[in-house]
Amino acid sequence: MYAKHNKPKLSRGVLDMKFMQRTKAKVDKEADDEQGRALYSNEISGNMLNSNSNFIIEPSYSICEGLIDGRLSFRGMNPELERLMELEQAEKQVKTKQEQPKEVSDVEMAKYMQRKFNGKNDFNKRKPNAILNNKAFKPKKQKHHFMKPREDDDSGEAEA
Amino acid sequence: MTSSNFVMPGDRVSSIEDLAKTKRVILGPGLRRLDDKVVASKAGPLRHKEPNTFWVDNYQRRYVPARGDLVLGIVRAKAGDVYRVDIGSADVATISYLAFEAATKKNRPDLNPGDMIYARVLNANADIEPELVCVNSNGKRGKLGVLQDGFFFKCSLNLGRMLLRENCPALGALNEELPYEIAVGVNGRIWVKAHTPRDTLGLVNAILSLENAGYAEIEKVCGNLTEVMQT
């Protein structure tokens, strides 16, 4: 339980943003499921949890048959609706495109890229390995760490 | 999708039982599980959709609500915080006045008895009234809401479902004849709207002529739709 409370959560302000709508739906569903589980936890018997049946009951024809939405408009009868239909169609096409089989496998691609960039990989070669492996040697990056922030910058942030 | 065989209520469907030994199986309407047995509870052709969905496609005119279905309903009355909506099921469905886009406690949707709505079934349980909504999970209206004008008629549940199958040629064939707008509910209710009353009635006749067409004949019947519409 303790671990669940500590799970990082996105703030409501972030979730209300327009581009976060999908994540918001997901988070809402998770919270709903959690609540449902908590609500019925003492009614669910061990038998119900442990019996692994291979049957799933689905009472809706629309889901079984994969029916489309029944609200349609053709040839400019209802432009608003047709726009929605187009958007849906486009979304569907994107999904089917992703399902297309790869012509080049990931392994082949990796090999190809390795070959391609082997010659140009002087960047790493030029650095002596000793520098990369030697832990005593401080990487250049850490220098930034010790830089003193400007004072006026700091005060400005505090006010904000 | 194949129509393999017919089942009667009480028939054991052993083909599904065999399949369920190795993988998960989805049992749709018309099929029941009794421990490890699968028994049909309706009479009709047993349908199968890849990979593992089964259901019985029986002839029926009485709608049984199921969660997620898109239905056409007629507002019957206002009752406090909800509207009572007739969706053709055994019990009258309810829809909260907050279940519309941009509705608030102060800003109620303008719905009156007799209005036609296209809604989604949110809750369907044998013991309580079905509940509808006219918004999606983001609070947007989408394709749901009130239907203005047009013409409404009832048909069998099978016809409604047939029109909504993904590869059904009927709606496309009608589209070649004239521009129109349609709302098909899986509860066997259809609403159509075209530019003139004559066109609208033509559409209605054409759709109802498909009532007795099976999966196999539908393409042939769709070829004749033009004649039906002109008479």
Side-chain angles (χ1 to χ4, degrees), chain A residues 18 20-22 24-25 28-29 32 51-86 88-89 92, chain B residues 20-21 23-29 33 38 42 49 53 55-56 58 66-67 69-70 118 138 141-143 147 161 164-166 171 175-184 186 191 193-195 215:
Chain A
K18 211 167 185 185
M20 294 297 277
Q21 288 311 304
R22 250 191 242 173
K24 190 185 177 190
D28 280 352
K29 193 168 180 287
D32 247 22
S51 66
N52 47 343
S53 162
N54 265 349
F55 293 110
I56 301 161
I57 310 291
E58 175 52 68
S60 168
Y61 275 108
S62 349
I63 296 168
C64 282
E65 294 190 52
L67 300 179
I68 56 168
D69 287 359
R71 187 88 173 87
L72 304 157
S73 162
F74 299 99
R75 290 205 256 162
M77 201 56 199
N78 185 341
E80 192 191 345
L81 190 60
E82 280 178 31
R83 205 176 50 84
L84 279 174
M85 282 166 65
E86 265 172 34
E88 214 167 76
Q89 200 73 33
K92 219 184 236 175
Chain B
K21 278 173 194 153
K23 55 178 179 177
R24 300 208 134 188
V25 171
I26 299 171
L27 297 181
R33 180 180 75 100
V38 177
K42 288 176 178 174
K49 196 178 98 183
T53 313
W55 71 95
V56 179
N58 66 320
R67 190 190 155 97
D69 280 352
L70 288 163
Y118 191 61
N138 290 341
R141 165 180 43 179
K143 299 173 177 177
L147 303 171
R161 287 205 302 271
L164 296 180
R165 277 190 301 142
E166 224 157 332
L171 297 179
N175 177 26
E176 281 167 22
E177 300 303 322
L178 48 98
Y180 70 100
E181 196 183 340
I182 192 167
V184 184
V186 287
W191 169 94
K193 183 178 163 189
H195 283 304
Y215 278 22

Side-chain angles (χ1 to χ4, degrees), chain B residues 102-178:
Chain B
T104 56
K105 282 205 163 187
K106 268 191 181 168
N107 181 21
R108 291 189 177 214
D110 184 28
L111 274 185
N112 294 305
D115 279 354
M116 183 116 253
I117 58 170
Y118 191 61
R120 189 181 289 282
V121 178
L122 179 69
N123 239 333
N125 190 308
D127 305 321
I128 53 172
E129 290 173 347
E131 192 184 343
L132 309 176
V133 281
C134 271
V135 286
N136 62 15
S137 53
N138 290 341
K140 287 280 177 289
R141 165 180 43 179
K143 299 173 177 177
L144 308 172
V146 182
L147 303 171
Q148 304 277 335
D149 309 326
F151 185 81
F152 163 79
F153 61 100
K154 295 178 186 175
C155 62
S156 72
L157 302 190
N158 303 60
L159 178 58
R161 287 205 302 271
M162 187 163 66
L163 292 174
L164 296 180
R165 277 190 301 142
E166 224 157 332
N167 51 358
C168 179
L171 297 179
L174 292 171
N175 177 26
E176 281 167 22
E177 300 303 322
L178 48 98

